[in-house]
Amino acid sequence: MTLRDELLKPIWHAFTALDVDKSGKVSKSQLKVLSHNLCTVLKIPHDPVALEEHFKDDDEGPVSNQGYMPYLNKFILDKATDNFDRQDFHKMCWTLSSRKNLEQNHIFISNDDAFKIWCIFNFLSEDRYPLIIVTEEIEYLLRKLTDAMGGSWVEERFEDYKLKLNSKRQCLLVWELISLVGSGHFSKGMDHQTLSMGINEVYQELILDVLKQGYMMKKGHKRKNWTERWFVLKPGYISYYTSEDLAEKKGDILLDGSCSVEPLQDKDGKKCLFLIKSSQKSFEISASERKKKQEWIQAIQTCVNLLRQGRPAPHHYSRQKRRELRLKQQAEQEELELRMSELQTANEAKQLELENMRKVGEKHTSSLMAAWRQHSHHRAIAIIKLTSSRPRMPGALLTVLP
């Protein structure tokens, strides 16, 4: 997903929320405020003259989505870079849209958890508007959420839900997805805290690109002492902090295609050791147990392999592959439907041709029959005339003498 697509989805939610009467248009005064706020959170220099000029009061009235796009493209999307706080941007758009659409009384998750589901929806939704999430992506999210909660996936439960969903349509809107997760239907037996922790774990991975995180011991480079740190693995680097609240960052381990990770033998009273070799320096790490050591080695090695291949993070790559497969299947389905339509058209044309031939044949047969009847009639008349015109023999001659 490009930065432009990533920004456009939350902005679409915000625009739609401002369309109070669902006319497809928003007042210029509201769009002026929205545009100003977007420039602020995206750290784009304001152009007050262009802002006032574009949204000045006139007789044209409210602006449609398409009418807003030229300004949005020129003064916001085209100027946006990666140097902004994504959470602030998402929170601003979320506040506008949730205020109108979120029914907090009907769900069993907090506003913060609903916000995280909203962000996940934007990540997994199709790149067309109005935004929807298809059945395959719903299943992907629910499976990840179940795994994050430590639960067991119940295939029959989702199949039953999918049948109900397909009877209406094969997708959900964002507020429907929030209601589905918040209803607890797919987290039965889990308390609210477990569900909240599961949502946060999926959010951390899909939205914040956190591939793995946890406490481990790190050996210092100067004093050679071992200190516990909170490690956070992202696609291009590993950050380590004093604690999991991320209040104080102690450093980064930059990853690239030349990096390597390898297990070490236990030493200095430390177990479950492994070594990360980066282009700058090497880092000795001690995990709490053998399983976590293997998980970290595998996760780091996966990141390095992806960097070597120039591929995105696993969740971005898998989403891209799912979409490509859906597009391929859709193209194949459309081609099949086109061929079936062509065959049906050809069949109908053949049937019409046969019907016309039958009608022509019937007409020809009818003409022949009429001609035959007319010919027979004329022949009969001719015979009668011929018979009636012959001379009769005298009766005497017809008498046979004894």
Side-chain angles (χ1 to χ4, degrees):
M1 183 188 297
T2 64
L3 178 61
R4 183 187 190 84
D5 292 332
E6 180 186 343
L7 296 176
L8 197 53
K9 289 183 176 183
I11 294 173
W12 178 83
H13 286 296
F15 182 95
T16 306
L18 294 175
D19 178 16
V20 179
D21 56 1
K22 297 183 179 180
S23 64
K25 296 184 177 181
V26 176
S27 69
K28 290 185 175 181
S29 60
Q30 288 179 302
L31 287 179
K32 183 164 67 173
V33 174
L34 173 62
S35 301
H36 183 275
N37 290 339
L38 287 172
C39 287
T40 301
V41 297
L42 294 173
K43 297 182 179 180
I44 297 171
H46 294 271
D47 188 341
V49 176
L51 189 66
E52 292 295 333
E53 178 65 24
H54 195 86
F55 299 110
K56 66 182 179 181
D57 293 331
D58 52 31
D59 297 332
E60 295 181 7
V63 179
S64 68
N65 191 1
Q66 293 302 315
Y68 182 50
M69 283 306 296
Y71 179 89
L72 184 64
N73 285 327
K74 183 176 180 180
F75 294 100
I76 298 178
L77 296 179
D78 289 349
K79 295 182 178 181
T81 59
D82 264 327
N83 68 334
F84 67 94
D85 189 316
R86 279 171 164 73
Q87 185 129 340
D88 288 345
F89 166 71
H90 288 141
K91 280 284 187 183
M92 190 271 288
C93 295
W94 160 257
T95 302
L96 283 174
S97 57
S98 63
R99 190 181 299 160
K100 174 186 175 183
N101 297 287
L102 183 63
E103 297 181 2
Q104 192 74 47
N105 297 331
H106 295 84
I107 57 177
F108 302 102
I109 56 176
S110 66
N111 185 278
D112 186 54
D113 287 337
F115 161 72
K116 291 173 182 175
I117 296 297
W118 180 82
C119 292
I120 293 170
F121 170 91
N122 291 335
F123 176 75
L124 295 176
S125 61
E126 301 299 286
D127 293 331
R128 62 177 185 265
Y129 297 85
L131 293 174
I132 53 98
I133 181 171
V134 297
T135 308
E136 182 184 7
E137 299 299 327
I138 297 171
E139 181 178 359
Y140 171 81
L141 169 59
L142 293 175
R143 281 182 178 274
K144 288 196 76 69
L145 186 56
T146 301
D147 186 58
M149 293 187 295
S152 299
W153 178 253
V154 182
E155 189 70 36
E156 296 78 10
R157 186 181 297 169
F158 184 76
E159 289 300 320
D160 290 343
Y161 174 76
K162 192 161 64 171
L163 287 174
K164 295 176 184 177
L165 187 65
N166 290 349
S167 65
K168 300 177 182 178
R169 61 184 192 278
Q170 298 179 5
C171 61
L172 289 178
L173 302 175
V174 61
W175 311 108
E176 295 170 331
L177 180 66
I178 292 173
S179 296
L180 175 64
V181 176
S183 69
H185 182 69
F186 288 95
S187 56
K188 290 181 179 179
M190 303 289 182
D191 57 32
H192 294 174
Q193 184 179 3
T194 302
L195 175 58
S196 179
M197 291 175 65
I199 292 172
N200 183 61
E201 183 174 322
V202 177
Y203 171 79
Q204 291 267 334
E205 178 187 349
L206 300 186
I207 307 304
L208 301 185
D209 287 338
V210 175
L211 305 179
K212 192 167 182 59
Q213 57 186 336
Y215 281 109
M216 292 189 293
M217 303 294 290
K218 173 188 163 295
K219 187 177 181 179
H221 288 95
K222 294 180 179 180
R223 292 185 292 176
K224 307 298 182 182
N225 59 326
W226 290 87
T227 309
E228 186 178 58
R229 298 295 184 216
W230 178 262
F231 287 82
V232 178
L233 171 64
K234 292 194 174 186
Y237 58 92
I238 305 171
S239 299
Y240 50 96
Y241 304 80
T242 55
S243 63
E244 60 188 289
D245 61 11
L246 310 183
E248 184 182 355
K249 181 191 277 192
K250 301 302 290 185
D252 291 312
I253 304 173
L254 299 180
L255 302 177
D256 57 34
S258 65
C259 292
S260 64
V261 56
E262 58 189 49
L264 293 176
Q265 295 294 325
D266 297 347
K267 64 179 182 178
D268 302 332
K270 295 297 177 183
K271 297 182 178 181
C272 305
L273 296 171
F274 62 94
L275 180 70
I276 303 173
K277 292 182 180 180
S278 72
S279 56
Q280 298 174 331
K281 59 180 71 172
S282 297
F283 299 82
E284 288 187 39
I285 309 295
S286 172
S288 59
E289 58 185 26
R290 193 174 300 277
K291 180 183 177 183
K292 290 189 181 298
K293 169 187 172 180
Q294 290 304 121
E295 289 175 351
W296 273 99
I297 290 176
Q298 183 176 354
I300 296 169
Q301 189 62 60
T302 298
C303 284
V304 172
N305 291 340
L306 291 174
L307 288 168
R308 287 172 182 166
Q309 298 166 16
R311 284 165 45 183
H315 51 287
H316 287 276
Y317 184 72
S318 64
R319 182 194 60 172
Q320 177 183 327
K321 287 300 177 183
R322 291 195 304 274
R323 287 188 175 182
E324 288 175 356
L325 181 59
R326 279 201 300 277
L327 289 174
K328 180 182 177 182
Q329 291 173 339
Q330 182 181 345
E332 290 174 349
Q333 180 65 27
E334 289 175 353
E335 183 181 357
L336 178 61
E337 290 176 357
L338 178 62
R339 291 180 62 186
M340 292 297 291
S341 177
E342 290 173 347
L343 287 172
Q344 184 177 356
T345 302
N347 184 56
E348 290 173 353
K350 190 66 177 177
Q351 291 293 331
L352 182 61
E353 181 184 354
L354 292 173
E355 179 66 16
N356 291 335
M357 289 176 64
R358 184 184 64 80
K359 289 179 179 179
V360 170
E362 289 180 350
K363 186 176 180 180
H364 182 64
T365 302
S366 177
S367 299
L368 288 175
M369 291 295 293
W372 182 81
R373 284 194 295 270
Q374 186 176 11
H375 174 73
S376 298
H377 177 71
H378 288 318
R379 185 179 179 187
I381 292 174
I383 293 172
I384 293 171
K385 285 182 178 180
L386 179 63
T387 305
S388 60
S389 64
R390 287 179 181 175
R392 291 178 176 271
M393 293 181 66
L397 294 176
L398 295 174
T399 304
V400 178
L401 297 175

